[in-house]
Amino acid sequence: QVQLVESGGGLVQTGGSLRLSCAVSGRTVSTWAMGWFRQAPGKEREFVSAISWSARDKYYAESVKGRFTISRDSAKNTLYLQMNSLKPEDTAVYYCALRSGSYYREPASYNDWGQGTQVTVSS
């Protein structure tokens, strides 16, 4: 049974940085495409970033492009999201997930999710 556990969230000032981690068990990250999503209170879950099973292809939402970087460490079976130049609008609960569907930007294409980690950016 696959399990994903996010960590690394916290409180940071505008312009600061955080690195989120997603530890995966029950599956190997080298054989699964993965993604990061975020959700603020009262809003729908939105796409942040995704990485292909080979790690050769990486995708980013326009709002985070140039500031966030997705990566993985197959030896540690862990997915990462490096977040730089953080803004208050980045405040949300961040989730990692394994993709099984065809559309990497859609939550419905992911069937295994972590519990989320809170990121709060103060102005």
Side-chain angles (χ1 to χ4, degrees), residues 19 22 28-30 51 55 71-80:
R19 188 177 75 159
C22 174
T28 58
V29 298
S30 62
I51 188 169
S71 63
R72 77 181 190 203
D73 187 332
S74 295
K76 296 181 178 180
N77 222 34
T78 301
L79 179 74
Y80 300 98

Side-chain angles (χ1 to χ4, degrees), residues 37-86:
F37 288 76
R38 66 188 182 187
Q39 187 169 24
K43 296 184 178 180
E44 294 183 345
R45 191 166 299 187
E46 67 172 347
F47 169 77
V48 176
S49 184
I51 188 169
S52 66
W53 71 269
S54 66
R56 293 187 179 91
D57 300 311
K58 301 175 182 179
Y59 311 93
Y60 300 94
E62 289 297 323
S63 60
V64 307
K65 191 174 296 182
R67 300 188 297 120
F68 291 10
T69 303
I70 190 170
S71 63
R72 77 181 190 203
D73 187 332
S74 295
K76 296 181 178 180
N77 222 34
T78 301
L79 179 74
Y80 300 98
L81 185 68
Q82 178 67 46
M83 306 185 295
N84 298 326
S85 302
L86 284 163

Side-chain angles (χ1 to χ4, degrees), residues 2-35:
V2 65
Q3 184 175 9
L4 297 83
V5 180
E6 300 96 334
S7 62
L11 176 64
V12 66
Q13 294 182 340
T14 297
S17 299
L18 287 172
R19 188 177 75 159
L20 305 184
S21 299
C22 174
V24 181
S25 61
R27 297 284 187 180
T28 58
V29 298
S30 62
T31 60
W32 285 85
M34 302 186 69

